[in-house]
Amino acid sequence: MPEISRFFGIIITMYYNDHPPPHFHVRYNQQKAIITIETLEILEGKLSSRAFKLVSECAILHQNELMQNWELARDNQTLNAVSPLE
């Protein structure tokens, strides 16, 4: 599962050839979640409100890049890094 971004201890990853809807995986300490790219809905798992706010902010800024990575992952191609929050 390639890591595409890391910031403030939050790790954003995507699986190759993963199931729809387009989404990304988040790990933060012991917390894990799967979040849709389009709506930023948590499909599975749980994040603290602080972590979810940071992840949402990053996803809003980089939504197009996340969708491009989703398409690359579906085609088993190399994913691009997404700039972290600073």
Side-chain angles (χ1 to χ4, degrees):
M1 175 168 42
E3 179 179 313
I4 57 174
S5 192
R6 180 186 292 245
F7 52 92
F8 305 119
I10 296 168
I11 300 168
I12 308 291
T13 59
M14 279 189 185
Y15 283 113
Y16 284 104
N17 207 16
D18 208 353
H19 61 85
H23 64 274
F24 57 92
H25 297 253
V26 178
R27 290 191 324 260
Y28 177 64
N29 293 329
Q30 301 301 316
Q31 303 168 47
K32 295 180 182 180
I34 298 173
I35 300 177
T36 62
I37 296 171
E38 290 184 359
T39 64
L40 302 180
E41 173 187 354
I42 295 179
L43 293 175
E44 186 177 307
K46 192 172 186 179
L47 292 174
S48 66
S49 59
R50 179 182 179 275
F52 183 70
K53 180 180 177 184
L54 292 170
V55 169
S56 296
E57 184 178 337
C58 181
I60 288 167
L61 290 172
H62 301 289
Q63 194 167 25
N64 289 335
E65 294 168 75
L66 290 168
M67 281 303 296
Q68 289 171 355
N69 272 335
W70 173 261
E71 294 301 327
L72 290 170
R74 297 285 290 165
D75 291 336
N76 290 313
Q77 296 182 27
T78 303
L79 305 185
N80 300 311
V82 173
S83 298
L85 289 180
E86 296 179 5

